[in-house]
Amino acid sequence: MACGSCGTTENGVPKGCKSNGNCGTGTCGSGSEKLAVFDWLSNMTLPNGEERFNIFEVRFKNGRKHFFRNTENLTISMGDVVAVESSSGHDVGTVSLAGELVKVQMKKYKVAEDSEEILKIYRKASQRDIDVWQSSRDREEETQRKGREILGKLGLQMKLSDVEFQGDGNKATFYYTADSRVDFRQLIRDLASAFSIRVEMKQVGARQEAARLGGVGSCGRELCCSTWLTDFRKVTTSAARYQQLSLNPLKLAGQCGKLKCCLNFELDSYLDALKSFPKQDLILKTEKGDAVFVKMDIFKKHLWYTYSEERFKWFRLTLDQVLEIIELNKNNEKSISLEEYESDVEIIEKVDFEDAVGQDSLTRFDTPKKSNRRRNNKKKKPATVAVNQTKESPQKQQVKRKPRKNPNQKNKDLGNSNQANQPTAEVAKTNKPRKNNRNRNKNKPKNGNNSPEK
C-alpha cells in the first residue's frame, strides 16, 4: 500500500516523501491520514463493454471526504492532487478512492449517482494551485489564534476548535463547539474584516472535535475517532452496566468528555453471554434463608449471592447451580444451603508464569541475596572467647581451679600437691599463646620442677 514517493532508488535506498510523518498521498497506511484505502481491484480489467466509473472520492483536511464527478474524462488515479468545484471558487484535495470501490462507499453513505450534490473535477492541480494551497494551509494556525482573540473580546460562549482554508485561499471554515445556541453574526463581520476572506461557521459536536484534533486515549493508543472510526453511535451508561463496569465518570469518559466509544465495541458479546443468566432481582430460596444477588463474572459463569439477613459473607456459585436452585423454587421446593453449593465449586488457579521454554522466574531479582557474613561471625565468636581465656596467666587459671583448702589439713604431703597441680600446669602450657614472650619467660620453672614459682 505504498505510494510512489515512498519507494526505493536503484541502490535500494528509501526515498521518502519528506512530509515529516504526514503521507503525501494517504495510501501508506501510516495512520496520519484517516481511513487510507487500498484499491484491491486496481489490477483487474473491466468486462467488455464496461466503462470505468467516473466518480471519485477526494479527501481534504482532517479526513473530510466528498464525491466528485470526472466530467472531463481526465486520467486520474489514487494519490493525484486535483482541483475540484466548490461553493465559491475551487478547492484542492487528494484522490483517496477510485474505481468500483467508490460505488460501495456511495451506497454506505446513501449518495445516489445522479445526485446534484456531486460536484465536478476541474483539472489536475498545477504547481501554482499547489503553491496557493500550501500557503493557505500555513495561514490556518495564525488565523485560529487571532480568531480566538476576537472571540474572547466579544464574550461569546463558544469554543473555536479548528480553521480550514479553501484551496484558492478565498474562503475559510471556522469549526466551533457550543453548549447552547450562539448569535455569532457580529463575529462573522469581525473575522471577515480582519482576514479579508469569506467566513463560514460550522458547529461540530464534542466527538467530531476530538476526531479532528486527535490525541492519545487512556489505553495508550491514538484515538479511534481520529484514526479509523467514522460513525459515532450513541453511547449510554447501560453499556457499562451490562459489562459490569464501575459507573465512574472519570474512567468512562474519553478525551471529548463524553462516554468512550469503545464501550460499544464488546457490548454485543456481553449481551449474547447474558442471555443464559437469570435476572439479577431474582431471590433464591434456601433452607437457611433467602439469598440475593451481589455480582457476577460473565465469561467464567460465576455468580455471588448472600443471605438477605447475613450479608457479611458472599458465596460463589456456578451458573448451573443457580439455575438448579431456580428450578427447585419453581416447584415450591427449597434448596440446600449456599455453603454446601460453594464447597462443590472448583476454582481453577490462574497460572501467571509458566516455564515453558526454560526461562527463569520473572521475580528472581526482586528479593535481595542474603549474605553469609553473619554466619561467619557467629562461628568466630567461640574462638575469640577461647583466645581471651588463654591470655590469662597460669597463676590466675590455677587460682580459679584450685579447690579451697580446709584449715584442718595443714600437714598435707607436698608430693601429693605437686601431683594435683601438674595437670593444671600442663593445660596452661598448651593453651598459652606462643607469641607472648613475657608469658613464656614467666611460666618457665626455675627449680626444675613443674610447680609454679612462689
Side-chain angles (χ1 to χ4, degrees):
M1 293 189 293
C3 60
S5 301
C6 295
T8 57
T9 59
E10 297 177 357
N11 299 328
V13 180
K15 293 179 180 178
C17 52
K18 298 180 181 180
S19 57
N20 298 325
N22 297 319
C23 179
T25 62
T27 56
C28 294
S30 59
S32 59
E33 298 293 348
K34 189 174 182 179
L35 281 181
V37 182
F38 175 68
D39 189 3
W40 53 277
L41 295 176
S42 59
N43 296 330
M44 299 181 65
T45 58
L46 295 174
N48 295 330
E50 288 288 336
E51 296 182 357
R52 189 180 181 186
F53 197 58
N54 65 340
I55 297 178
F56 294 82
E57 185 186 62
V58 181
R59 187 191 69 250
F60 301 95
K61 181 183 176 183
N62 292 330
R64 181 172 62 90
K65 297 179 180 180
H66 295 289
F67 299 104
F68 294 89
R69 197 184 308 275
N70 184 13
T71 57
E72 302 295 332
N73 295 324
L74 302 173
T75 304
I76 300 174
S77 59
M78 291 177 59
D80 292 340
V81 181
V82 293
V84 298
E85 182 183 1
S86 181
S87 58
S88 59
H90 70 274
D91 202 352
V92 178
T94 306
V95 177
S96 59
L97 196 62
E100 297 298 318
L101 292 180
V102 181
K103 294 181 180 180
V104 180
Q105 290 296 102
M106 293 179 65
K107 185 177 180 180
K108 177 181 178 181
Y109 293 105
K110 298 179 180 180
V111 178
E113 296 183 12
D114 55 351
S115 176
E116 297 180 356
E117 297 179 359
I118 301 177
L119 304 178
K120 62 181 179 179
I121 298 176
Y122 286 143
R123 61 186 179 274
K124 283 188 177 182
S126 61
Q127 186 61 40
R128 183 177 179 279
D129 293 333
I130 296 176
D131 293 339
V132 174
W133 178 41
Q134 292 294 341
S135 61
S136 300
R137 292 289 298 269
D138 295 339
R139 294 170 53 192
E140 291 177 354
E141 186 176 355
E142 183 65 20
T143 304
Q144 181 179 357
R145 186 183 63 82
K146 291 183 179 179
R148 288 179 176 177
E149 293 179 357
I150 297 173
L151 187 63
K153 293 178 181 179
L154 296 177
L156 299 177
Q157 298 298 322
M158 58 187 293
K159 176 185 175 183
L160 188 63
S161 61
D162 196 10
V163 177
E164 181 181 1
F165 269 87
Q166 198 170 262
D168 54 2
N170 297 327
K171 175 184 173 183
T173 303
F174 291 81
Y175 295 91
Y176 72 95
T177 57
D179 297 333
S180 58
R181 186 178 178 84
V182 180
D183 185 7
F184 47 78
R185 288 177 292 182
Q186 184 62 35
L187 176 63
I188 294 177
R189 299 191 192 98
D190 294 344
L191 293 175
S193 60
F195 304 113
S196 301
I197 54 174
R198 296 183 69 255
V199 177
E200 179 182 355
M201 303 295 296
K202 189 172 183 180
Q203 185 176 4
V204 295
R207 299 182 189 276
Q208 287 79 6
E209 180 187 12
R212 295 183 65 85
L213 300 180
V216 178
S218 58
C219 58
R221 303 185 65 179
E222 195 174 352
L223 297 180
C224 298
C225 56
S226 63
T227 52
W228 62 272
L229 191 63
T230 56
D231 54 336
F232 301 101
R233 292 188 298 170
K234 186 177 180 181
V235 185
T236 60
T237 55
S238 60
R241 291 192 181 96
Y242 285 128
Q243 300 176 47
Q244 304 297 315
L245 299 176
S246 175
L247 299 179
N248 188 354
L250 297 178
K251 294 183 179 180
L252 297 181
Q255 297 282 23
C256 58
K258 305 294 183 180
L259 292 176
K260 294 179 180 179
C261 298
C262 56
L263 291 175
N264 286 336
F265 294 169
E266 299 178 355
L267 181 59
D268 296 337
S269 300
Y270 277 90
L271 292 176
D272 292 339
L274 284 171
K275 290 180 180 180
S276 58
F277 280 77
K279 294 183 179 180
Q280 298 180 5
D281 56 351
L282 190 63
I283 298 176
L284 305 182
K285 296 181 180 180
T286 64
E287 296 176 352
K288 193 174 179 179
D290 296 343
V292 294
F293 173 81
V294 179
K295 66 175 184 176
M296 70 172 69
D297 191 331
I298 299 176
F299 295 106
K300 289 184 179 180
K301 295 185 177 182
H302 286 174
L303 298 93
W304 280 262
Y305 281 85
T306 182
Y307 292 111
S308 56
E309 297 180 357
E310 301 176 0
R311 294 180 178 267
F312 58 88
K313 180 170 176 52
W314 297 354
F315 300 94
R316 184 202 296 257
L317 305 179
T318 62
L319 178 60
D320 297 334
Q321 291 175 344
V322 175
L323 296 178
E324 180 183 349
I325 296 174
I326 295 174
E327 192 65 25
L328 291 174
N329 294 337
K330 288 182 179 180
N331 298 330
N332 297 326
E333 297 180 7
K334 293 184 177 180
S335 65
I336 57 179
S337 61
L338 299 180
E339 290 85 350
E340 298 182 21
Y341 276 110
E342 188 182 29
S343 61
D344 298 336
V345 178
E346 296 181 0
I347 301 175
I348 301 175
E349 296 183 0
K350 183 180 179 181
V351 179
D352 294 334
F353 175 78
E354 185 176 356
D355 191 2
V357 291
Q359 310 102 313
D360 292 330
S361 175
L362 297 177
T363 59
R364 62 185 183 275
F365 298 117
D366 294 349
T367 56
K369 210 172 184 180
K370 296 182 180 179
S371 69
N372 297 327
R373 293 183 178 179
R374 294 184 178 179
R375 297 182 180 178
N376 297 334
N377 293 336
K378 291 181 180 179
K379 293 179 180 180
K380 291 179 181 180
K381 281 183 179 180
T384 307
V385 174
V387 172
N388 293 334
Q389 290 178 357
T390 55
K391 288 183 180 180
E392 297 180 357
S393 61
Q395 294 180 357
K396 292 183 179 181
Q397 292 180 2
Q398 189 176 4
V399 171
K400 289 181 180 180
R401 296 183 182 182
K402 187 176 179 181
R404 202 169 194 181
K405 289 185 179 182
N406 194 353
N408 297 327
Q409 297 178 354
K410 291 183 179 180
N411 298 325
K412 194 173 182 181
D413 189 1
L414 183 61
N416 295 333
S417 63
N418 291 335
Q419 294 177 1
N421 294 331
Q422 186 174 0
T424 306
E426 291 177 359
V427 173
K429 187 175 182 180
T430 56
N431 293 334
K432 66 181 179 179
R434 294 181 178 180
K435 294 182 180 181
N436 195 347
N437 295 329
R438 294 182 180 179
N439 293 339
R440 183 180 296 178
N441 298 330
K442 191 174 182 180
N443 295 333
K444 187 176 181 181
K446 293 182 180 180
N447 299 330
N449 56 4
N450 294 331
S451 62
E453 185 180 356
K454 292 183 180 180

